[in-house]
Amino acid sequence: MEIIKWIGFNTIPIGITISIFLLIYGKIRHIKYLDPEVPLGRLLFFLGNIFALGIGFLSVKYGPQAMDSKTIAEGIMYIILGYSFCIYGFTFFFMTGMRRAYDIGFPFWIYPVFIVVTSLSRLVNEDIYEFLLLGMYIFLLQPGRTSE
């Protein structure tokens, strides 16, 4: 039962790590839905991020509930739900941003680096964090290669 509680406690970091490995594997193997070189428009970027964040909130809800489970079967059910939502949500979140960055003309790996720098800037100064968070929406305003 302690293993289930530990796995439930670490749902988000392990899910994000698995998502990053899936993105790398998808790029190496040129998997259609995990290849960041597929263009993505402004509306799909906006709707994709909203959808991915909604799925991410579900992972935050179900993953840690494994720590409060009474039986092993209930804990495994919450772990499966939490990890599925977490891996799918964060993979989709990173993929929409990477596709949009590539569509604008930036290298696709800029988006995950920007997300990490933005998240770490919150530890330094809240105002810098809010300013960099607005930078994500610059992707919405920039025209892509397909609309030129």
Side-chain angles (χ1 to χ4, degrees):
M1 199 64 184
E2 292 298 320
I3 294 173
I4 289 177
K5 289 182 180 182
W6 182 83
I7 291 174
F9 179 73
N10 292 314
T11 302
I12 303 297
I14 292 173
I16 291 174
T17 305
I18 292 171
S19 295
I20 291 171
F21 283 129
L22 277 174
L23 293 174
I24 292 170
Y25 182 73
K27 175 63 182 150
I28 291 171
R29 294 286 189 167
H30 299 291
I31 298 173
K32 181 179 180 181
Y33 298 106
L34 294 175
D35 193 6
E37 295 178 353
V38 176
L40 184 70
R42 297 179 201 174
L43 180 64
L44 290 176
F45 173 71
F46 182 70
L47 294 176
N49 276 341
I50 290 173
F51 178 73
L53 290 176
I55 296 291
F57 286 135
L58 287 176
S59 73
V60 170
K61 179 182 181 202
Y62 287 115
Q65 277 187 352
M67 296 187 308
D68 299 331
S69 62
K70 305 289 185 236
T71 64
I72 292 175
E74 183 184 10
I76 290 173
M77 180 187 69
Y78 284 129
I79 286 172
I80 290 171
L81 281 173
Y83 275 92
S84 336
F85 287 135
C86 186
I87 291 169
Y88 182 74
F90 283 107
T91 303
F92 197 75
F93 177 74
F94 286 134
M95 187 52 57
T96 56
M98 291 167 69
R99 284 181 174 174
R100 183 66 182 139
Y102 186 77
D103 185 35
I104 292 171
F106 292 118
F108 60 86
W109 52 267
I110 286 289
Y111 189 75
V113 170
F114 182 74
I115 295 296
V116 169
V117 168
T118 301
S119 300
L120 290 176
S121 71
R122 187 171 189 176
L123 300 173
V124 177
N125 189 344
E126 188 73 28
D127 295 332
I128 294 173
Y129 169 72
E130 292 171 359
F131 178 72
L132 288 175
L133 200 58
L134 288 174
M136 275 188 9
Y137 294 103
I138 291 176
F139 288 130
L140 289 174
L141 302 174
Q142 295 295 322
R145 290 184 198 169
T146 56
S147 54
E148 290 177 353

